[in-house]
Amino acid sequence: MAESGDRAIYSRTMTMPPALRADAHAVFLDFDGTLVEFDDDPRQVAIAPAALERLAALQRSHSGALAIVSGRRIVDLDLFLAPLTFAAAGVHGLERRVVAGGETLMLAGPEALDTVRAALAAPLAAMPGLSLEDKGTALVIHYRTAPKLSAPALEMMQSAIADRSDLVLMQGEGIVEVHPAGMDKGRAVADLMQEKVFAGRIPVYVGDDVTDEFALAYVREAGGVSVKIGKAQSAAEFRLEDVTALHRWLGVRAR
């Protein structure tokens, strides 16, 4: 077992996670790259109808202890998962919905990023291969369609948040994101585990990206089931090869 910073890095062997237990597990699932395949246009992703039906069945069998944990806004997750709603942590936990159909709570406001928006306007206009997604509580530069611009995208965001210790920069699959400090997916899952619907259960987390590592590390340390999608380095104990493998593990029936 090797070390990377403060986090342990484990084998990349595809180790199948145990079956979900309706009476014991609290299930937390990332969205992009986990439940759905990536798309160059994030607005065009789609979840298979059979997978959506299976999520609804899991939500019922687990007494509501199933949440979607994503960098996306909860309102956008609802569009992709319609007509269903789920407990959720959006924008890496800066948005929270404890129960399906419940109120969405915002832990930060968009005004914290006003100076960053202004600083990014001119450089983004001069580099059309990059695009900005404004989530209100987070700003994301996308370079998936222009991978050679990954370094300029990072430098641009770093310059925009210079001297802002209250903000955190994160890199993910084809993106550079900035949002208020003090929150990540691990903290979001830990907070949700204190809520009545999840409390007393064993946490299960499945995710594919660097931003999921916070949650995977938390769940493993908490004695839960940590599942990495893909072959990238991870603190997760278990692995699944891809989105299709996750669907099979969840029990989604092919059509």
Side-chain angles (χ1 to χ4, degrees), residues 213-243:
E213 288 300 313
F214 297 100
L216 291 168
Y218 160 75
V219 166
R220 183 162 188 173
E221 291 166 6
V225 180
S226 51
V227 186
K228 179 76 168 183
I229 302 295
K231 298 179 180 179
Q233 290 185 330
S234 178
E237 183 175 7
F238 303 98
R239 286 183 184 267
L240 292 167
E241 186 171 3
D242 51 25
V243 173

Side-chain angles (χ1 to χ4, degrees), residues 104-171:
T104 296
L105 302 177
M106 306 293 186
L107 277 63
E111 63 278 357
L113 296 172
D114 284 347
T115 60
V116 183
R117 290 184 182 89
L120 289 173
L124 280 170
M127 199 166 294
L130 300 177
S131 63
L132 180 69
E133 179 184 4
D134 191 336
K135 300 179 183 179
T137 52
L139 297 174
V140 185
I141 296 177
H142 290 266
Y143 59 84
R144 176 177 290 277
T145 58
K148 292 182 179 179
L149 296 180
S150 60
L154 177 59
E155 293 169 3
M156 189 182 300
M157 192 69 92
Q158 288 173 328
S159 176
I161 66 169
D163 302 321
R164 289 288 302 272
S165 60
D166 60 322
L167 302 177
V168 61
L169 185 150
M170 301 178 69
Q171 292 181 266

Side-chain angles (χ1 to χ4, degrees), residues 39-161:
D39 193 287
D40 287 343
D41 184 346
R43 298 167 297 181
Q44 298 302 314
V45 300
I47 188 168
L52 190 56
E53 291 174 7
R54 182 57 181 155
L55 288 180
L58 288 171
Q59 184 185 57
R60 292 191 298 270
S61 65
H62 285 67
S63 302
L66 184 151
I68 309 301
V69 181
S70 175
R72 291 186 187 260
R73 299 181 303 164
I74 291 177
V75 66
D76 294 328
L77 291 172
D78 286 348
L79 292 175
F80 292 116
L81 297 169
L84 304 178
T85 62
F86 298 88
V91 195
H92 307 283
L94 289 168
E95 298 180 1
R96 305 282 180 82
R97 185 168 63 203
V98 176
V99 295
E103 180 184 4
T104 296
L105 302 177
M106 306 293 186
L107 277 63
E111 63 278 357
L113 296 172
D114 284 347
T115 60
V116 183
R117 290 184 182 89
L120 289 173
L124 280 170
M127 199 166 294
L130 300 177
S131 63
L132 180 69
E133 179 184 4
D134 191 336
K135 300 179 183 179
T137 52
L139 297 174
V140 185
I141 296 177
H142 290 266
Y143 59 84
R144 176 177 290 277
T145 58
K148 292 182 179 179
L149 296 180
S150 60
L154 177 59
E155 293 169 3
M156 189 182 300
M157 192 69 92
Q158 288 173 328
S159 176
I161 66 169

